[in-house]
Amino acid sequence: MQHAALNGLTVLERGWLSSNNIVVHRVGGETGAVLVDTGHVVHAEQTVALVRHALNGEPLVRIVNTHLHSDHCGGNAALQRAFGAPITVPPGNAEAVASWDTARLTHATTGQRSERFAHAGTLAPGDHFVAGGRRWDALAAPGHDPFSLILFDAQHGVLISADALWENGFGVVFPEIDGEPGFDDVAAVFDAIERLPVRVVIPGHGAPFTDVAGALARSRTRLESFKRQPERHARHAVKVMIKYHVMEERRIGHDALLQWATATPFLLAAWQRFGGAVEPRKWCARFVDELIGQGVLAREGDAVADR
């Protein structure tokens, strides 16, 4: 049963390749609905169909991105074509979007697909917008991504947490792989969430949940283990990115997967910091083997498939 605080919202729970999409339906004199995050480009047509069904004839008047990782903005272009809705992005990403600098957007550095889109405006920490009869406050949530936002509806206690907090974890802390600080930012975001009167969290991945204290406790434990052992976080990040690429491809040759891995700047940065004397192809191959051994991926002859 949907939590009462979510009445008037449609949460399209997607999975791990595509982020959740949240449709905030119009009320009163509002001109239309607002959509938060748009999933992965591989699922763009499916996202358009799901959003169209959720709208049920209601106009879509705005798309808001919490951050611009490929799993949160990959449907932007397709939705813009389908509905003509303007797109709002965090201001720290605006210049990279305008020039379509896929390295600064991290799509190129992480070896992920994306489709160019145009943005119409920005939403900065401290800004707010009104949709569904609710005031949504944008709050800074650096760590997973330096420019990431979370959105909070204080009246109903609804937090759209993106990848800052899931029920059982949080997103990879990408700056740490590049040797930049990020763990302390994640901890500060947890503290900020704890101070909010949150009743229900809509995460970037997974179902909405109400046990905010439990989620924070589990995430803090995980974060502390990563802070004590940064190499553990790096191994986790590499496996996440390999799994993610196989999800994009569904099935890929083993050699092709390793060629992709050793040509991807993010994975090479992880290897340079944590790979030791092992050459990069063998280092990445170990993670592929681990994922296969864990049943997360499957070996099919000379290929690797998603499971």
Side-chain angles (χ1 to χ4, degrees):
M1 181 181 297
Q2 178 166 285
H3 193 286
L6 299 181
N7 290 344
L9 309 181
T10 298
V11 179
L12 301 173
E13 185 184 345
R14 305 299 297 276
W16 291 102
L17 182 59
S18 277
S19 70
N20 292 340
N21 321 126
I22 302 98
V23 180
V24 184
H25 297 281
R26 67 178 173 183
V27 299
E30 294 176 1
T31 56
V34 171
L35 177 67
V36 179
D37 287 339
T38 66
H40 193 280
V41 68
V42 169
H43 293 156
E45 290 186 12
Q46 181 187 66
T47 302
V48 170
L50 289 169
V51 170
R52 193 183 301 279
H53 183 266
L55 290 170
N56 193 27
E58 185 180 357
L60 182 65
V61 297
R62 189 178 192 183
I63 296 168
V64 175
N65 289 126
T66 59
H67 61 295
L68 295 185
H69 287 168
S70 63
D71 56 329
H72 287 256
C73 70
N76 281 12
L79 287 157
Q80 202 167 44
R81 287 192 294 271
F83 300 104
I87 296 170
T88 301
V89 302
N93 296 124
E95 185 179 329
V97 171
S99 62
W100 201 244
D101 186 335
T102 57
R104 287 175 60 190
L105 291 170
T106 74
H107 305 165
T109 54
T110 55
Q112 295 175 6
R113 304 179 192 177
S114 58
E115 182 179 1
R116 185 170 189 166
F117 64 89
H119 76 291
T122 61
L123 183 69
D127 290 347
H128 75 276
F129 62 94
V130 175
R134 304 164 184 247
R135 172 180 165 132
W136 296 93
D137 289 297
L139 308 175
H144 172 63
D145 177 85
F147 306 121
S148 187
L149 302 172
I150 56 178
L151 305 175
F152 186 54
D153 160 25
Q155 181 181 355
H156 300 86
V158 177
L159 177 69
I160 297 176
S161 65
D163 293 338
L165 179 69
W166 303 329
E167 188 167 18
N168 292 294
F170 51 91
V172 168
V173 187
F174 285 94
E176 287 283 344
I177 303 301
D178 293 324
E180 299 293 332
F183 291 147
D184 288 344
D185 286 336
V186 173
V189 172
F190 292 161
D191 292 343
I193 291 173
E194 189 171 46
R195 291 191 294 268
L196 298 173
V198 180
R199 296 173 61 197
V200 58
V201 176
I202 306 173
H205 302 270
F209 61 90
T210 58
D211 182 12
V212 184
L216 286 169
R218 288 186 291 273
S219 291
R220 282 171 168 148
T221 297
R222 186 172 182 81
L223 178 62
E224 286 305 312
S225 72
F226 286 158
K227 290 173 75 172
R228 288 193 302 270
Q229 297 179 294
E231 69 279 3
R232 183 169 176 263
H233 172 257
R235 291 195 301 269
H236 165 69
V238 170
K239 289 200 285 187
V240 165
M241 301 312 295
I242 290 172
K243 165 69 174 177
Y244 197 81
H245 185 65
V246 178
M247 284 195 294
E248 283 186 319
E249 300 294 330
R250 301 299 302 169
R251 190 174 188 274
I252 184 173
H254 186 266
D255 284 346
L257 177 57
L258 294 181
Q259 288 172 8
W260 167 85
T262 54
T264 297
F266 177 81
L267 298 185
L268 285 177
W271 167 74
Q272 287 168 352
R273 294 194 66 213
F274 301 102
V278 182
E279 61 97 8
R281 184 181 175 91
K282 289 183 178 178
W283 192 69
C284 291
R286 289 180 182 176
F287 295 112
V288 174
D289 291 344
E290 285 183 25
L291 289 165
I292 292 170
Q294 293 165 352
V296 177
L297 300 178
R299 186 70 184 259
E300 297 179 352
D302 293 332
V304 178
D306 188 33
R307 294 188 68 171

